[in-house]
Amino acid sequence: KSYMKGLVMFDTYSFTQKRENKFVINPHVHDKYEFVYFFSGKGTIKYMNNVFDFAKRSYFVIEPNVSHCHFYSEQSNCLIIWFKPNEQIKLKSTAKNDLQFEISTLCQKIRDELESKALNFDKMANALANEIIFHLIREQDKKEENTDCWYYYF
């Protein structure tokens, strides 16, 4: 569902899920972006030519139509957000550890909303998911600016 058209740029679907130890998700693709944040657990994700070992406070973003697979080496608890932009964005597939806890804090708030089922919890979860997406776009944009500066000086 889309909430607050014009104010919220992304239609999101958020849920939490527990994965058992030695759980495998075979190579697959989605027609939308996928964001996965790990509250706990360990494992590996493979996408394009990249391999990323995830653990607590790690996350990854996969672009639409990019093949990826996951292997869980221990029981994991994660937040999954699927989203389709309402306008053109250029968010690239990536996997990282959240060292500054910005993404972690927002993910915990979404989990709290989904568990509480308080009035308008779905709208609040969607708004928080949008905040994560905006943060990811800004972070990527900052990185690209720094890369551009590198070339100007050398």
Side-chain angles (χ1 to χ4, degrees):
K1 292 182 180 180
S2 177
Y3 302 103
M4 300 181 292
K5 281 282 191 207
L7 295 176
V8 176
M9 291 181 56
F10 306 101
D11 296 326
T12 67
Y13 178 70
S14 305
F15 59 99
T16 58
Q17 195 164 56
K18 286 188 178 169
R19 304 283 191 192
E20 295 303 317
N21 183 25
K22 307 292 186 210
F23 188 80
V24 175
I25 298 178
N26 292 319
H28 63 286
V29 298
H30 304 283
D31 65 345
K32 55 188 80 62
Y33 283 90
E34 179 180 32
F35 169 87
V36 178
Y37 173 84
F38 295 92
F39 293 107
S40 64
K42 288 184 181 175
T44 302
I45 175 157
K46 295 179 182 178
Y47 64 97
M48 298 189 292
N49 292 323
N50 301 296
V51 176
F52 178 73
D53 293 325
F54 61 80
K56 182 177 181 178
R57 289 192 301 274
S58 297
Y59 65 87
F60 65 82
V61 178
I62 301 295
E63 296 168 76
N65 304 312
V66 170
S67 181
H68 58 288
C69 59
H70 321 201
F71 170 75
Y72 296 81
S73 57
E74 65 180 49
Q75 184 176 6
S76 301
N77 189 356
C78 55
L79 169 69
I80 301 166
I81 303 172
W82 285 321
F83 62 96
K84 276 190 172 185
N86 293 344
E87 66 177 48
Q88 190 65 30
I89 63 165
K90 55 177 183 175
L91 192 55
K92 296 176 185 166
S93 297
T94 188
K96 294 183 152 192
N97 295 309
D98 185 26
L99 302 176
Q100 271 124 25
F101 300 99
E102 294 165 304
I103 299 290
S104 299
T105 301
L106 293 168
C107 289
Q108 183 59 52
K109 287 180 180 181
I110 291 174
R111 181 163 75 172
D112 292 345
E113 287 294 332
L114 295 174
E115 289 175 357
S116 77
K117 302 230 185 296
L119 180 64
N120 294 318
F121 77 93
D122 51 346
K123 294 175 180 75
M124 183 62 88
N126 190 61
L128 290 163
N130 272 263
E131 189 171 347
I132 289 171
I133 297 162
F134 289 131
H135 179 81
L136 295 170
I137 292 168
R138 280 186 174 176
E139 186 177 283
Q140 178 180 286
D141 188 55
K142 232 188 287 185
K143 195 176 290 176
E144 288 174 1
E145 283 178 12
N146 290 341
T147 302
D148 290 343
C149 290
W150 177 273
Y151 293 114
Y152 289 123
Y153 293 113
F154 291 98

